[in-house]
Amino acid sequence: MSRAQLALNVDDLDEAIAFYSKLFNAPPAKVRAGYANFAVADPPLKLVLIENRGHGGTLNHLGVEVESSEAVHAEIARLTDEGMFTEEEIGTTCCFATQDKVWVTAPGGERWEVYAVLADSETFS
């Protein structure tokens, strides 16, 4: 199972959680101080909300969540073969989860990550 990820900066986390809970008819999967995420089944989407006052309504980053560390490593190999510069983070803690991930940057500067969640974490990073 893979799904697209959209990470948004929000000014007011509680207000954003209320809005997106109604929009997607689902509660958040995880809520921590300054952070929430939704695992939306239909359409398949990982929506991440990061409280970043003064930057609400802007894009934080984009991503593709994959099911395993092996899938991340396969993407590292594929993207490298395509000649793309990659930044690898293996066993990193991000967004209250331990993850394996690889980052690439689009021509317009948008940051994309391909990642797998390995375990839950009590810390953001």
Side-chain angles (χ1 to χ4, degrees), residues 79-101:
L79 294 167
T80 300
D81 286 348
E82 290 287 341
M84 298 179 77
F85 176 76
T86 62
E87 297 173 53
E88 302 168 25
E89 295 182 21
I90 306 303
T92 192
T93 299
C94 179
C95 301
F96 297 96
T98 302
Q99 304 174 6
D100 284 350
K101 65 174 69 186

Side-chain angles (χ1 to χ4, degrees), residues 79 84-87 102-106 109-114:
L79 294 167
M84 298 179 77
F85 176 76
T86 62
E87 297 173 53
V102 59
W103 290 93
V104 293
T105 303
E110 306 86 13
R111 301 267 296 149
W112 280 87
E113 66 176 330
V114 176

Side-chain angles (χ1 to χ4, degrees), residues 10-116:
V10 299
D11 286 322
D12 184 313
L13 185 63
D14 292 333
E15 182 179 57
I17 288 171
F19 174 83
Y20 287 107
S21 293
K22 292 173 188 172
L23 178 65
F24 292 115
N25 195 31
K30 183 186 289 187
V31 178
R32 301 286 189 273
Y35 174 89
N37 76 42
F38 290 78
V40 181
D42 188 21
L45 172 69
K46 181 70 154 276
L47 176 65
V48 175
L49 305 176
I50 300 170
E51 194 166 50
N52 195 356
R53 295 191 186 278
H55 298 280
T58 62
L59 181 65
N60 188 284
H61 65 276
L62 300 158
V64 177
E65 182 180 21
V66 296
E67 59 191 45
S68 68
S69 179
E70 292 78 19
V72 172
H73 287 277
E75 284 300 295
I76 291 169
R78 185 184 71 77
L79 294 167
T80 300
D81 286 348
E82 290 287 341
M84 298 179 77
F85 176 76
T86 62
E87 297 173 53
E88 302 168 25
E89 295 182 21
I90 306 303
T92 192
T93 299
C94 179
C95 301
F96 297 96
T98 302
Q99 304 174 6
D100 284 350
K101 65 174 69 186
V102 59
W103 290 93
V104 293
T105 303
E110 306 86 13
R111 301 267 296 149
W112 280 87
E113 66 176 330
V114 176
Y115 70 100

